[in-house]
Amino acid sequence: MKRLITIVISFFSCIFISDAENYDLNGLWQFRFDEGTRLEDVLDPSFSANDVMAVPCCFDVVSPYLKSRGTAQYRKAIYIDTPVMNAVWCIDGIGLRGSFYLDGKYVGMCNKPYSYFELPLGPLAAGEHVLYAAIDNNFDSEKQKLFLPYYDFYAFGGFYRGMELKFQTKKIQLDKILVRTKDYKTALVELEICTLNSETPASLYSSVQFDGGKWIPVNFVNGKVVINVPNFKLWSPKSPNLHSVRVRYQGSVVQTRFGIRTVSVKGHDILLNGEKIFLKGVNRHEQHPSFGAATPEQLMQLDINLIKSLGANFVRGAHYPQSQKFLDLCDENGILVWEESLGWGNKLDNIQDPEFVSLQISQTKDMVLRSMNHPSVIIFAFLNEVKSNCPEGKAIVDTLIKTVKAQNPGRLTTFACNRTKNDIANVNTDLISFNTYPGWFETIDISTSGLLKDVINQKLDTIIKYFRSRYGDKPILISEIGMCGIYGFRDSSAPQWTEEFQAEYVGDALDYALTSDEICGIALWHFADADSFHRSGGNIRGKPFAVNLAGLVDSYRHPKLVYKVVESKFKNTKYEKMVQ
């Protein structure tokens, strides 16, 4: 078991550590921000700090750096009282790219926003050491290829989810466990053990303990063992039962939490533990005006409470790898999750770029391994609204499906498709998912409520007919549908942008989805209003106040009229499929 920190004293920028195997680097760091600069222009571990900044925190939601682009520099001194065999710097999500130094020496960089990554530091002598990071939140299509200026959500700068150091104190030190369900009916699971800074031995005799029970001797062969979980209970939205497992080897102990369940498809349906389930949910950005992308756990729980109060059972994490804390809460609360790697509307020049493809493969694999043990995650996806109507689009989709499946995660694969007239890339996905906004982005007569409903129904009929003709009997999910309503802007005549019009529109879309035998689920766009283009960008004229206003609640989580409409329909038992 990893030992607790016995001494942690924070004084300005210095932390003193004693007798620890890993410890938290969160807190205040020395800080400097230079607007308009690039990372390469300001790299200087001895920089002159003029402020302090919290980690985790998005610096561009903090005055005087609000919505500024440039490079931020961070520095913190740590003191260790005994030498360390090896150390690893663990960083959980940055925006948008960063360079990292220890004691003035370069140790690595990251250009994968939102992704967790680790930087090996090597042996550390006793005494003081200085950590330095430079974080660049500029758009740069050459050096930052995963987050591009036209993406329709705000690109925050800073550290999203925090940092820690891991210390290796033993030659073979257990680091983490991956759990894969092999047979949900008998609770047969595969445990894969990973070690810190060393190769896992071909044969590792150790002990395993489930749920605090007796220790069971096992032999991990090439890091893996297959074993039955005693006294197991299945995980599901109605009964989100969780198990724990610990592995012990020569004084090194590691543990994790997991759930036993299986997800599959049959005809038009998604099956959870062999039973049909209908996905009723929302898209959700990890965002808030006060926190940017560095949202605290209490806000995550508030969001889950509001989502569950709708009668929903499903969240699509748009459009990037999710916080592990959020996934923990989804595990505990029985919320099903679609998690996807970062991408948005990527064009032909992106998907033909070998570096872009390599980064997509890398971040997608990272996401799958990071979230493997979360039973709430039933879908791994990628490349929202990629150009899927060309051979190059199909090629990258197939590559990322193989990337996911290679890890044998027991999840479904898909991507949110908006080429609903000519997509060719869904041949190998487990389910078809599509985004559509009938009557919202088009110049169509919707002057009466009857016309609006007709427009929505006809568009959805046409899309489904195309996918059925091309791909046959696969589950089809509406991964985005909705429209904007400005909180507090009400008018009984229901003009566009009012809460009334939004409520009418979303209600009509739900009437279709909840009564159609062709649909296996729906994720409304979206849960909460979220920052988008600031003063420039794609369809900025469709983003009043620089905010995507399609939320069921506003940015501060105040419900709009549409919230009650969704709740009434999600909870209405007249929709037979909704009680599965």
Side-chain angles (χ1 to χ4, degrees), residues 77 131 166 244 251 261 266 285 371 388 405 452 499 510 522 525 546 564:
L131 299 167
K166 292 181 184 177
S244 65
R261 62 104 187 94
K266 183 179 180 180
H285 269 300
S371 299
S388 65
K405 298 292 187 183
L452 176 59
E499 291 190 44
L510 285 176
I522 183 170
W525 187 265
K564 283 295 183 183

Side-chain angles (χ1 to χ4, degrees), residues 292-303:
T295 57
E297 190 170 1
Q298 59 267 34
L299 178 65
M300 298 177 190
Q301 183 64 62
L302 171 63
D303 286 358

